Protein backbone atom coordinates (compact mmCIF):
# COMPACT_ATOMS: atom_id res chain seq x y z
CA UNK A 1 0.00 0.00 0.00
CA UNK A 2 3.07 2.21 0.09
CA UNK A 3 2.60 2.56 -3.66
CA UNK A 4 -0.95 3.86 -3.13
CA UNK A 5 0.26 6.39 -0.59
CA UNK A 6 3.29 7.54 -2.58
CA UNK A 7 1.57 7.82 -5.95
CA UNK A 8 -1.48 9.58 -4.48
CA UNK A 9 0.84 12.12 -2.85
CA UNK A 10 2.49 12.63 -6.25
CA UNK A 11 -0.87 13.37 -7.87
CA UNK A 12 -1.79 15.80 -5.06
CA UNK A 13 1.42 17.76 -5.63
CA UNK A 14 0.91 17.95 -9.43
CA UNK A 15 -2.84 18.43 -9.40
CA UNK A 16 -4.60 20.85 -11.80
CA UNK A 17 -8.28 20.59 -10.81
CA UNK A 18 -8.36 19.47 -7.15
CA UNK A 19 -6.57 21.06 -4.19
CA UNK A 20 -6.07 19.61 -0.73
CA UNK A 21 -6.77 22.55 1.55
CA UNK A 22 -4.59 22.71 4.65
CA UNK A 23 -7.07 24.78 6.67
CA UNK A 24 -9.76 22.17 5.91
CA UNK A 25 -7.39 19.40 7.07
CA UNK A 26 -6.69 21.40 10.25
CA UNK A 27 -10.41 21.87 10.98
CA UNK A 28 -11.26 18.18 10.55
CA UNK A 29 -8.22 17.00 12.55
CA UNK A 30 -9.07 19.42 15.35
CA UNK A 31 -12.65 18.14 15.41
CA UNK A 32 -11.56 14.52 15.48
CA UNK A 33 -8.44 14.62 17.60
CA UNK A 34 -10.18 13.65 20.85
CA UNK A 35 -12.47 11.02 19.45
CA UNK A 36 -13.40 9.77 16.02
CA UNK A 37 -17.10 9.02 15.95
CA UNK A 38 -17.11 5.24 15.99
CA UNK A 39 -19.01 3.67 13.13
CA UNK A 40 -19.62 -0.05 13.50
CA UNK A 41 -18.79 -2.19 10.50
CA UNK A 42 -22.15 -3.40 9.12
CA UNK A 43 -23.97 -0.56 10.88
CA UNK A 44 -26.61 -1.16 8.20
CA UNK A 45 -27.13 -4.83 9.19
CA UNK A 46 -26.96 -5.99 5.57
CA UNK A 47 -23.96 -8.31 5.36
CA UNK A 48 -23.74 -12.09 5.60
CA UNK A 49 -21.75 -13.30 8.61
CA UNK A 50 -21.27 -16.81 10.04
CA UNK A 51 -17.79 -16.41 11.55
CA UNK A 52 -16.32 -18.91 9.06
CA UNK A 53 -14.81 -19.37 5.57
CA UNK A 54 -18.16 -18.85 3.81
CA UNK A 55 -18.16 -15.25 5.09
CA UNK A 56 -14.75 -14.77 3.44
CA UNK A 57 -16.13 -16.16 0.15
CA UNK A 58 -19.13 -13.83 0.45
CA UNK A 59 -16.98 -10.74 1.10
CA UNK A 60 -14.68 -11.56 -1.81
CA UNK A 61 -17.59 -11.90 -4.23
CA UNK A 62 -19.16 -8.74 -2.78
CA UNK A 63 -15.98 -6.73 -3.27
CA UNK A 64 -15.47 -8.16 -6.75
CA UNK A 65 -18.81 -6.50 -7.60
CA UNK A 66 -18.50 -3.45 -5.33
CA UNK A 67 -18.48 -0.73 -8.00
CA UNK A 68 -20.56 1.65 -10.05
CA UNK A 69 -24.00 1.93 -8.46
CA UNK A 70 -24.98 5.43 -9.49
CA UNK A 71 -26.33 4.86 -13.04
CA UNK A 72 -29.38 3.19 -11.46
CA UNK A 73 -30.41 5.26 -8.46
CA UNK A 74 -32.14 2.32 -6.80
CA UNK A 75 -29.33 -0.17 -7.15
CA UNK A 76 -27.08 0.79 -4.24
CA UNK A 77 -24.26 -0.92 -2.38
CA UNK A 78 -26.80 -1.91 0.28
CA UNK A 79 -28.89 -3.77 -2.31
CA UNK A 80 -25.87 -5.66 -3.55
CA UNK A 81 -24.67 -6.63 -0.05
CA UNK A 82 -28.14 -7.64 1.15
CA UNK A 83 -29.01 -9.40 -2.14
CA UNK A 84 -25.85 -11.53 -2.09
CA UNK A 85 -26.49 -12.30 1.59
CA UNK A 86 -29.98 -13.57 0.88
CA UNK A 87 -28.75 -15.59 -2.10
CA UNK A 88 -26.19 -17.31 0.10
CA UNK A 89 -28.68 -17.97 2.88
CA UNK A 90 -30.97 -19.65 0.36
CA UNK A 91 -28.21 -21.67 -1.28
CA UNK A 92 -24.91 -22.21 0.55
CA UNK A 93 -23.16 -23.29 -2.65
CA UNK A 94 -24.17 -20.17 -4.64
CA UNK A 95 -20.59 -18.80 -4.50
CA UNK A 96 -18.69 -22.04 -5.03
CA UNK A 97 -15.87 -21.45 -7.52
CA UNK A 98 -17.44 -23.65 -10.23
CA UNK A 99 -20.81 -21.89 -9.88
CA UNK A 100 -19.20 -18.41 -10.01
CA UNK A 101 -17.75 -19.25 -13.43
CA UNK A 102 -21.18 -20.00 -14.92
CA UNK A 103 -23.43 -17.09 -13.96
CA UNK A 104 -25.07 -15.19 -16.80
CA UNK A 105 -26.40 -11.64 -16.56
CA UNK A 106 -30.04 -12.73 -16.16
CA UNK A 107 -28.98 -15.28 -13.50
CA UNK A 108 -27.14 -12.62 -11.54
CA UNK A 109 -30.22 -10.40 -11.74
CA UNK A 110 -32.34 -13.27 -10.46
CA UNK A 111 -29.89 -13.89 -7.62
CA UNK A 112 -30.21 -10.24 -6.58
CA UNK A 113 -33.97 -10.15 -7.26
CA UNK A 114 -33.36 -7.25 -9.62
CA UNK A 115 -35.95 -6.65 -12.35
CA UNK A 116 -33.75 -4.96 -14.99
CA UNK A 117 -30.15 -5.02 -16.23
CA UNK A 118 -27.59 -4.06 -13.59
CA UNK A 119 -25.20 -1.19 -14.23
CA UNK A 120 -22.19 -2.60 -16.11
CA UNK A 121 -23.80 -6.02 -15.94
CA UNK A 122 -21.51 -7.70 -18.47
CA UNK A 123 -18.48 -6.54 -16.55
CA UNK A 124 -19.96 -7.79 -13.28
CA UNK A 125 -20.55 -11.21 -14.78
CA UNK A 126 -17.06 -11.30 -16.32
CA UNK A 127 -15.52 -10.44 -12.95
CA UNK A 128 -17.51 -13.17 -11.18
CA UNK A 129 -16.15 -15.64 -13.71
CA UNK A 130 -12.63 -14.35 -13.17
CA UNK A 131 -12.94 -14.76 -9.40
CA UNK A 132 -14.32 -18.30 -9.72
CA UNK A 133 -11.68 -19.33 -12.27
CA UNK A 134 -8.67 -18.02 -10.38
CA UNK A 135 -9.90 -19.20 -6.97
CA UNK A 136 -10.29 -22.68 -8.43
CA UNK A 137 -6.92 -22.59 -10.22
CA UNK A 138 -4.80 -21.26 -7.36
CA UNK A 139 -6.67 -21.44 -4.04
CA UNK A 140 -8.70 -24.70 -4.02
CA UNK A 141 -11.73 -22.59 -4.91
CA UNK A 142 -11.67 -20.82 -1.56
CA UNK A 143 -11.16 -17.15 -0.77
CA UNK A 144 -10.35 -18.27 2.79
CA UNK A 145 -7.21 -20.04 1.43
CA UNK A 146 -6.17 -16.83 -0.27
CA UNK A 147 -6.48 -14.98 3.04
CA UNK A 148 -4.73 -17.71 5.04
CA UNK A 149 -1.72 -17.59 2.72
CA UNK A 150 -1.10 -13.92 3.61
CA UNK A 151 0.05 -14.62 7.18
CA UNK A 152 -1.96 -11.81 8.78
CA UNK A 153 -0.61 -9.12 6.45
CA UNK A 154 -3.10 -6.82 4.70
CA UNK A 155 -0.29 -5.56 2.44
CA UNK A 156 0.45 -9.13 1.32
CA UNK A 157 -3.25 -9.75 0.77
CA UNK A 158 -3.61 -6.71 -1.48
CA UNK A 159 -0.44 -7.69 -3.39
CA UNK A 160 -1.68 -11.27 -3.84
CA UNK A 161 -5.16 -10.23 -4.98
CA UNK A 162 -3.85 -7.70 -7.47
CA UNK A 163 -1.35 -10.16 -8.89
CA UNK A 164 -3.90 -12.97 -9.35
CA UNK A 165 -7.09 -11.09 -10.25
CA UNK A 166 -6.74 -8.50 -13.05
CA UNK A 167 -10.16 -7.02 -12.20
CA UNK A 168 -8.77 -5.75 -8.87
CA UNK A 169 -5.80 -3.93 -10.50
CA UNK A 170 -7.11 -0.45 -9.89
CA UNK A 171 -4.36 1.69 -11.40
CA UNK A 172 -3.97 4.32 -14.09
CA UNK A 173 -1.45 6.59 -15.80
CA UNK A 174 -1.54 10.25 -14.81
CA UNK A 175 0.76 12.86 -16.39
CA UNK A 176 3.01 9.98 -17.47
CA UNK A 177 3.17 8.32 -14.03
CA UNK A 178 1.60 5.05 -12.93
CA UNK A 179 -0.81 5.66 -10.05
CA UNK A 180 -2.18 2.90 -7.77
CA UNK A 181 -5.44 3.16 -5.87
CA UNK A 182 -6.44 -0.48 -5.31
CA UNK A 183 -9.82 0.41 -3.87
CA UNK A 184 -11.59 -2.95 -4.03
CA UNK A 185 -8.56 -5.01 -2.97
CA UNK A 186 -8.03 -2.80 0.07
CA UNK A 187 -11.70 -2.67 1.01
CA UNK A 188 -11.75 -6.49 1.03
CA UNK A 189 -8.96 -6.48 3.67
CA UNK A 190 -10.87 -3.84 5.65
CA UNK A 191 -14.15 -5.76 5.36
CA UNK A 192 -12.47 -8.88 6.78
CA UNK A 193 -10.99 -6.81 9.60
CA UNK A 194 -14.36 -5.21 10.33
CA UNK A 195 -16.51 -8.33 9.99
CA UNK A 196 -14.23 -10.60 12.07
CA UNK A 197 -13.42 -7.78 14.49
CA UNK A 198 -9.66 -8.06 13.96
CA UNK A 199 -9.65 -11.78 14.83
CA UNK A 200 -9.29 -14.98 12.80
CA UNK A 201 -9.66 -14.19 9.08
CA UNK A 202 -9.73 -10.50 10.05
CA UNK A 203 -6.48 -10.42 11.99
CA UNK A 204 -3.87 -8.21 10.30
CA UNK A 205 -0.66 -7.04 11.93
CA UNK A 206 -0.41 -4.13 9.50
CA UNK A 207 -4.00 -2.83 9.20
CA UNK A 208 -2.56 0.69 9.54
CA UNK A 209 -1.03 0.29 6.08
CA UNK A 210 -4.47 0.30 4.41
CA UNK A 211 -5.45 3.69 2.92
CA UNK A 212 -8.94 5.09 2.45
CA UNK A 213 -10.97 3.59 -0.38
CA UNK A 214 -11.09 5.94 -3.31
CA UNK A 215 -14.73 5.77 -4.35
CA UNK A 216 -17.21 8.45 -5.44
CA UNK A 217 -18.77 9.15 -2.02
CA UNK A 218 -15.76 10.13 0.12
CA UNK A 219 -14.34 12.77 -2.30
CA UNK A 220 -17.72 14.54 -2.18
CA UNK A 221 -17.76 14.39 1.64
CA UNK A 222 -14.22 15.79 1.79
CA UNK A 223 -15.30 18.64 -0.45
CA UNK A 224 -18.28 19.39 1.83
CA UNK A 225 -15.93 19.45 4.81
CA UNK A 226 -13.70 21.99 3.04
CA UNK A 227 -10.81 19.51 2.76
CA UNK A 228 -10.91 19.32 -1.05
CA UNK A 229 -11.38 22.34 -3.32
CA UNK A 230 -12.40 21.90 -6.95
CA UNK A 231 -11.66 24.11 -9.97
CA UNK A 232 -14.78 25.93 -11.28
CA UNK A 233 -14.93 23.68 -14.35
CA UNK A 234 -14.74 20.48 -12.29
CA UNK A 235 -17.31 21.78 -9.78
CA UNK A 236 -19.61 22.53 -12.71
CA UNK A 237 -19.16 19.03 -14.19
CA UNK A 238 -20.09 17.45 -10.86
CA UNK A 239 -23.04 19.77 -10.16
CA UNK A 240 -24.51 19.23 -13.60
CA UNK A 241 -24.04 15.42 -13.33
CA UNK A 242 -21.85 15.36 -16.45
CA UNK A 243 -19.93 12.14 -16.81
CA UNK A 244 -16.19 12.36 -16.07
CA UNK A 245 -14.27 9.78 -18.04
CA UNK A 246 -12.31 7.09 -16.32
CA UNK A 247 -8.59 7.91 -16.29
CA UNK A 248 -9.11 11.62 -16.99
CA UNK A 249 -6.98 14.05 -14.96
CA UNK A 250 -10.06 15.18 -13.07
CA UNK A 251 -11.07 11.67 -12.08
CA UNK A 252 -7.60 10.60 -10.98
CA UNK A 253 -7.18 13.80 -8.97
CA UNK A 254 -10.52 13.36 -7.19
CA UNK A 255 -9.54 9.88 -6.05
CA UNK A 256 -5.83 10.36 -5.35
CA UNK A 257 -6.29 13.67 -3.54
CA UNK A 258 -8.87 11.97 -1.30
CA UNK A 259 -6.35 9.27 -0.36
CA UNK A 260 -3.70 11.91 0.31
CA UNK A 261 -6.06 14.15 2.30
CA UNK A 262 -7.11 11.29 4.61
CA UNK A 263 -3.42 10.45 5.19
CA UNK A 264 -2.78 14.12 6.07
CA UNK A 265 -5.75 14.20 8.49
CA UNK A 266 -4.48 11.05 10.13
CA UNK A 267 -0.94 12.44 10.48
CA UNK A 268 -2.21 15.72 11.94
CA UNK A 269 -4.37 13.88 14.50
CA UNK A 270 -1.28 11.89 15.47
CA UNK A 271 0.76 15.07 15.95
CA UNK A 272 -2.01 16.84 17.88
CA UNK A 273 -3.04 14.01 20.22
CA UNK A 274 -0.41 11.28 19.90
CA UNK A 275 -3.19 8.92 18.81
CA UNK A 276 -2.72 6.42 15.98
CA UNK A 277 -5.88 6.67 13.95
CA UNK A 278 -6.49 4.20 11.12
CA UNK A 279 -7.38 5.38 7.63
CA UNK A 280 -9.94 2.55 7.61
CA UNK A 281 -11.73 4.11 10.59
CA UNK A 282 -11.63 7.59 9.07
CA UNK A 283 -12.91 6.18 5.80
CA UNK A 284 -15.87 4.38 7.35
CA UNK A 285 -16.89 7.50 9.25
CA UNK A 286 -16.64 9.68 6.13
CA UNK A 287 -18.45 7.13 3.96
CA UNK A 288 -21.29 6.52 6.44
CA UNK A 289 -21.71 10.30 6.73
CA UNK A 290 -21.83 10.59 2.92
CA UNK A 291 -24.40 7.88 2.24
CA UNK A 292 -26.71 9.35 4.85
CA UNK A 293 -26.55 12.76 3.22
CA UNK A 294 -29.28 12.74 0.56
CA UNK A 295 -28.13 15.96 -1.12
CA UNK A 296 -24.55 14.80 -1.70
CA UNK A 297 -23.45 15.50 -5.28
CA UNK A 298 -20.81 13.02 -6.36
CA UNK A 299 -18.79 12.67 -9.55
CA UNK A 300 -20.02 10.26 -12.17
CA UNK A 301 -17.52 7.92 -13.82
CA UNK A 302 -18.23 4.57 -15.42
CA UNK A 303 -15.66 2.35 -13.80
CA UNK A 304 -15.22 -1.23 -12.62
CA UNK A 305 -12.87 -0.09 -9.86
CA UNK A 306 -15.28 1.73 -7.52
N1 LIG B 1 -14.82 4.66 0.74
C1 LIG B 1 -15.74 3.70 0.86
N2 LIG B 1 -16.54 3.40 -0.18
C2 LIG B 1 -17.46 2.43 -0.02
C3 LIG B 1 -17.64 1.75 1.17
C4 LIG B 1 -18.68 0.82 0.96
C5 LIG B 1 -19.29 -0.14 1.92
N3 LIG B 1 -18.44 -0.55 2.95
C6 LIG B 1 -19.04 -1.35 3.97
C7 LIG B 1 -18.10 -1.79 4.98
C8 LIG B 1 -18.62 -1.68 6.23
C9 LIG B 1 -19.77 -0.85 6.24
O1 LIG B 1 -20.78 -1.29 7.06
C10 LIG B 1 -20.12 -0.67 4.76
O2 LIG B 1 -21.29 -1.30 4.38
C11 LIG B 1 -19.10 0.99 -0.35
N4 LIG B 1 -18.36 1.96 -0.92
C12 LIG B 1 -18.52 2.59 -2.23
O3 LIG B 1 -19.57 3.55 -2.13
C13 LIG B 1 -20.21 3.68 -3.41
C14 LIG B 1 -21.63 3.21 -3.34
O4 LIG B 1 -22.44 4.12 -2.74
P1 LIG B 1 -24.02 4.13 -3.07
O5 LIG B 1 -24.15 4.65 -4.47
O6 LIG B 1 -24.57 5.08 -2.02
O7 LIG B 1 -24.51 2.74 -2.93
C15 LIG B 1 -19.44 2.77 -4.36
O8 LIG B 1 -18.38 3.47 -4.98
C16 LIG B 1 -18.92 1.72 -3.40
O9 LIG B 1 -17.84 1.02 -3.93
C17 LIG B 1 -16.80 2.08 2.30
O10 LIG B 1 -16.87 1.54 3.40
N5 LIG B 1 -15.88 3.07 2.07
Amino acid sequence: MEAVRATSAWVASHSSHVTVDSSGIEKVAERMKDSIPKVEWDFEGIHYFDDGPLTVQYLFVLDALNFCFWPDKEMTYDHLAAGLKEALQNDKSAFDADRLQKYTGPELRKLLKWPRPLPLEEERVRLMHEVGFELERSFDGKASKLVESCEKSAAKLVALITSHFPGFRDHTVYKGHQIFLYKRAQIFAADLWGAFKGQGYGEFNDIESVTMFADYIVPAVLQQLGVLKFSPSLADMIESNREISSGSEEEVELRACSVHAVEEIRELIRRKSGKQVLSVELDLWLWAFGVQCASLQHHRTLSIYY
Side-chain angles (χ1 to χ4, degrees), residues 261-280:
V262 170
E263 292 306 309
E264 295 231 303
I265 293 171
R266 177 186 181 186
E267 175 56 22
L268 195 54
I269 294 176
R270 194 190 59 74
R271 274 195 267 133
K272 278 176 182 285
S273 68
K275 280 189 202 138
Q276 269 287 6
V277 174
L278 300 175
S279 298
V280 184

Side-chain angles (χ1 to χ4, degrees), residues 238-258:
I238 296 173
E239 274 155 33
S240 54
N241 288 336
R242 279 212 306 283
E243 207 179 302
I244 298 181
S245 52
S246 175
S248 63
E249 281 188 5
E250 287 89 342
E251 191 240 4
V252 180
E253 291 178 12
L254 281 162
R255 300 185 72 205
C257 290
S258 297

